[in-house]
Amino acid sequence: MKTNTIFSVIACLAMVLFYSCVPDDAVPEHSGNPEEPVFSSEHPYNLNVIYFVSNDREVNADYEQRISKIMLEGQRFFADWMEHWGYGSKTFGLLRDENMQRVKIHLIHGTKSSDSYPYEGGASAVKEEVEAYFSEHPEEKTSDHNLIICAVNEKLDEGEDMEVGVPFYGIGRDAYALDYPGMSYDNLGVGGDVGWKATVWIGGLYHEMGHGLNLPHCGSKVSESESDDYGTSLMGAGNSTFGISPTFLAQSSAAIVNNCQVFSEENGMFYTDTNAYIDRLSAGYENGDIIVTGSYVSDIPVTDITYYHKVGTDSGGYRAITWVGEPTGEQSFQMRMPISEFQERGNEEYTFSIILHHENGNNTWTDFSYAFQSDIPDIHISIGQQNVYDKTNWQIIDVSSEETVNENGAVAHVLDGNPQTYWHSRWNTDTPGYPHYFVVDMKEELQSKGFVIYQRVGRRAINAYEIEVSSDSMAWETLAEGSLEDTYEQVITLAGETKFRYFRFTAKSSHDGEPFAALAEIGVYH
C-alpha cells in the first residue's frame, strides 16, 4: 500500500509539473467546450446570416470568426441605441455560442460563376439559391429576415478592385453585403486605406442590414449632426462614418425596429395584413414650428408615429429629418417640429410623410407635399374636414376596366372608405389606354358641395379628370374638370350646391405618363 501511495503522489506531481510548464498559448482557447460551437438564442426569431460563395470564388480565411465579431458588435450597437431611445436594451436575435463568441452562419456555395450574381440584378439569382437552401433545410431558417454576405477574394483594403461586383443593398427583408480577405472589425478607425475600407464595407454592411430590418433612409437634425454624441445617422451617410466619427441610430429607426420580427422577445404574428390610414390632419406653421395634429384609423395597434421630412433634391431620403411621438388619446397624434432643426430651408420642395408603426412590424406611410419659401415652410394641409356622406350603400354600376388579380385593383375600393386600397385599370392583359372611368349610384339624390378624392399612394396618380352627374343615369352634365395634384387628399369644391344621384368619374391622363389609372377613394360632401 505504501508503494502504491508513493507512486500515486509521484504521478500527481508529474502531472502538475507538466501542465505548469505548458506555454499559455498552447492551452486550448475554449478549454472544456466541444469542438463544434453550440448555438442558441433567447429570441424566438433570429436574423439568418448567410455566407454566399460563387463557384469561381473561394471562402475567405477565418470568415466565421471575423463575421461573428462584426455581427456581435452590430448587436451591441443596436442595443445601446435602443436603450438610449427608451425601448430597453433590445436588439436583433442571432444564434450564437457565447463561450466561443461565434454566430451561426449558413455557408451556401452558389452553382454559378460570379458574373451570374453581379451588383446590378444579381440579388435575385442569389436569393433563388438561398431559398433553395432553406427549402432543403427548413429547420435552419429562423425568421423572415436575411443578411446575405457574398465572398469576394480581392484584397480591397490593399488597393485591389473587384473584377465582378456583388449585390450590396437592401431589398425587402433581405440585405446584401460582402466579405473580402481580412475584413475585420478591429480595423475600424486605424486610418489609411485599411481603416477606410473597413468603414465603407462594415459600416455599409450595417447600413444595408438596416434596410433588411425594415429601415428607410434618414438623416440627422441640425442639433444631432453638431453633437459628438450623435453625429451621422447610420441610415443616412453612416456607411462612410462608422468607426471614424460619431454615428448613431436615429429615433425613427429605433421606432421601426422596435416592432421588427427579429427584435421581438416573444412569439407573435408579424407582417400580417394591416388596414390603416390618416382620416384627419391639420398641418401648418406657427412661431418657428411646423405643427401637426390629426387622427388615424387602424386595425393593428400603433406603437409610435414618425414625422418624416424629405427634401426634393434627395429622392432616396438620405438627408431626411425625423421626429417620433407616441399616439395621443384614441388613435390621435400631435407634434411640434422646430424649423431650426432643418438642414435645408431656403426655397426647397419637401415631401412630408406620416408613418404609423404597427406592433406587427408593418409601417403605413402617408405622403404630402409642401415647400419652404425664403426659409419659411409654406405648409397648409387639411384632411378630413368636410362632412362626407356615408357610402355604405353606394354601388359601382359601370366601369371601363379594373384589375382584379387578388382583388388588388377592384373598382369597389374607391367606395370602401380606406385610402390605402385602390381601383386600378386593367394592366395584366389587354391593357386599355386612357380614358378610364367608373359610374357610382348613390341610391338617392343628395345635395352636394363638392367631392373629396384620394390619389393612390406612391404611383399611378391621375392628372386630367372630368366629373359628370345625372339624376337618371341617362342624361349627363359635366360638373367639374381639370387637373388633380399628385397628393394624398384633395377637395373639389363646386361653384354652387348641386343635387344628383349618379356621378361618373373619368380619368383622362396620368402624372407618370403611363396608360394606367388608379384611384384610392372618392366621396361627396355636403
Side-chain angles (χ1 to χ4, degrees):
M1 294 293 294
K2 288 183 179 180
T3 302
N4 289 340
T5 300
I6 292 171
F7 279 117
S8 297
V9 170
I10 293 172
C12 289
L13 288 171
M15 290 178 66
V16 170
L17 289 171
F18 172 80
Y19 282 110
S20 67
C21 294
V22 175
D24 290 342
D25 59 2
V27 179
E29 183 180 356
H30 303 290
S31 178
N33 284 340
E35 291 183 4
E36 294 296 325
V38 178
F39 298 110
S40 63
S41 174
E42 296 179 355
H43 288 72
Y45 309 98
N46 299 281
L47 179 64
N48 304 304
V49 182
I50 297 134
Y51 197 82
F52 186 85
V53 189
S54 58
N55 68 11
D56 58 348
R57 283 174 165 147
E58 299 177 354
V59 169
N60 289 321
D62 303 323
Y63 80 91
E64 291 173 295
Q65 293 85 349
R66 293 184 293 99
I67 298 299
S68 289
K69 183 165 185 179
I70 290 169
M71 297 309 301
L72 294 175
E73 292 294 342
Q75 266 194 329
R76 279 188 277 272
F77 174 83
F78 274 84
D80 289 345
W81 281 105
M82 292 295 283
E83 178 101 36
H84 172 85
W85 293 120
Y87 296 102
S89 187
K90 293 178 67 173
T91 192
F92 55 91
L94 287 173
L95 287 168
R96 54 191 286 179
D97 183 303
E98 292 289 348
N99 292 325
M100 299 180 70
Q101 290 294 286
R102 286 272 297 280
V103 168
K104 173 71 173 179
I105 302 174
H106 306 277
L107 176 61
I108 298 179
H109 288 278
T111 60
K112 305 170 186 175
S113 61
S114 55
D115 57 7
S116 297
Y117 315 106
Y119 176 83
E120 294 288 349
S124 58
V126 174
K127 181 64 182 295
E128 183 179 340
E129 301 211 30
V130 169
E131 288 180 338
Y133 171 85
F134 282 130
S135 179
E136 295 178 7
H137 308 88
E139 74 285 353
E140 297 287 298
K141 187 174 183 179
T142 59
S143 76
D144 296 325
H145 295 267
N146 299 317
L147 171 61
I148 303 167
I149 302 171
C150 299
V152 300
N153 301 138
E154 293 85 356
K155 298 175 182 178
L156 302 183
D157 57 352
E158 295 182 13
E160 295 183 5
D161 295 324
M162 285 181 281
E163 291 186 11
V164 178
V166 296
F168 203 95
Y169 34 75
I171 302 177
R173 298 187 184 109
D174 298 316
Y176 296 84
L178 62 74
D179 173 58
Y180 59 85
M183 185 174 82
S184 172
Y185 190 90
D186 295 334
N187 289 337
L188 288 167
V190 302
D193 210 35
V194 170
W196 169 240
K197 290 301 173 65
T199 287
V200 169
W201 298 114
I202 296 175
L205 181 150
Y206 291 151
H207 178 104
E208 303 308 337
M209 182 177 71
H211 287 315
L213 299 175
N214 306 327
L215 297 183
H217 290 131
C218 70
S220 313
K221 300 187 186 78
V222 169
S223 60
E224 292 169 338
S225 63
E226 294 177 350
S227 169
D228 291 339
D229 295 326
Y230 294 87
T232 304
S233 164
L234 176 68
M235 299 311 297
N239 56 330
S240 62
T241 61
F242 195 92
I244 296 176
S245 60
T247 306
F248 74 106
L249 187 72
Q251 186 178 7
S252 58
S253 296
I256 292 173
V257 296
N258 179 52
N259 297 322
C260 177
Q261 183 190 51
V262 293
F263 278 68
S264 177
E265 296 170 353
E266 299 177 357
N267 285 295
M269 297 291 291
F270 290 89
Y271 312 126
T272 53
D273 290 342
T274 302
N275 292 312
Y277 57 92
I278 304 297
D279 65 337
R280 300 185 74 84
L281 175 66
S282 176
Y285 173 71
E286 179 183 309
N287 297 327
D289 294 339
I290 293 176
I291 302 171
V292 174
T293 61
S295 61
Y296 61 89
V297 174
S298 178
D299 61 351
I300 301 293
V302 172
T303 57
D304 293 284
I305 301 170
T306 287
Y307 307 86
Y308 184 98
H309 298 261
K310 181 179 69 175
V311 69
T313 56
D314 176 30
S315 60
Y318 292 89
R319 308 193 305 273
I321 63 168
T322 59
W323 281 263
V324 177
E326 295 180 358
T328 59
E330 186 65 26
Q331 296 196 339
S332 60
F333 55 84
Q334 59 183 13
M335 179 60 64
R336 297 183 72 97
M337 295 161 279
I339 65 170
S340 59
E341 289 284 16
F342 281 71
Q343 303 276 6
E344 298 164 78
R345 286 174 283 182
N347 297 305
E348 295 285 358
E349 300 287 334
Y350 267 88
T351 298
F352 168 52
S353 304
I354 296 178
I355 314 171
L356 305 178
H357 304 306
H358 303 279
E359 66 178 18
N360 68 350
N362 286 341
N363 301 283
T364 300
W365 289 64
T366 307
D367 298 336
F368 308 92
S369 299
Y370 73 97
F372 272 81
Q373 301 290 340
S374 301
D375 290 338
I376 302 298
D378 182 17
I379 181 168
H380 306 280
I381 303 172
S382 181
I383 301 297
Q385 307 301 314
Q386 289 71 32
N387 294 317
V388 179
Y389 284 111
D390 182 7
K391 300 183 289 185
T392 302
N393 296 319
W394 292 11
Q395 183 180 3
I396 303 289
I397 60 172
D398 190 16
V399 62
S400 56
S401 77
E402 59 183 334
E403 185 54 66
T404 55
V405 175
N406 298 324
E407 298 185 353
N408 287 334
V411 70
H413 287 319
V414 300
L415 300 180
D416 65 6
N418 183 356
Q420 296 295 321
T421 62
Y422 55 88
W423 160 60
H424 198 297
S425 62
R426 188 169 62 245
W427 60 266
N428 195 39
T429 57
D430 301 324
T431 301
Y434 279 94
H436 303 283
Y437 69 87
F438 58 82
V439 179
V440 176
D441 179 2
M442 302 189 298
K443 300 299 184 179
E444 61 178 314
E445 286 197 321
L446 298 174
Q447 196 75 19
S448 169
K449 292 181 179 179
F451 294 82
V452 178
I453 289 177
Y454 290 81
Q455 294 271 32
R456 179 191 174 187
V457 175
R459 59 192 310 204
R460 302 287 188 251
I462 292 168
N463 189 351
Y465 77 94
E466 180 181 11
I467 297 177
E468 302 164 275
V469 299
S470 174
S471 294
D472 57 8
S473 75
M474 300 291 290
W476 294 91
E477 175 190 358
T478 296
L479 203 59
E481 60 183 331
S483 296
L484 298 175
E485 297 179 3
D486 185 4
T487 56
Y488 182 62
E489 184 204 71
Q490 45 211 292
V491 177
I492 298 173
T493 302
L494 302 178
E497 290 194 27
T498 306
K499 197 171 185 178
F500 54 88
R501 172 173 171 172
Y502 303 91
F503 68 87
R504 177 162 58 204
F505 177 90
T506 301
K508 296 183 174 181
S509 66
S510 63
H511 279 279
D512 62 10
E514 295 292 333
F516 313 106
L519 196 70
E521 201 72 22
I522 190 167
V524 176
Y525 74 92
H526 56 95

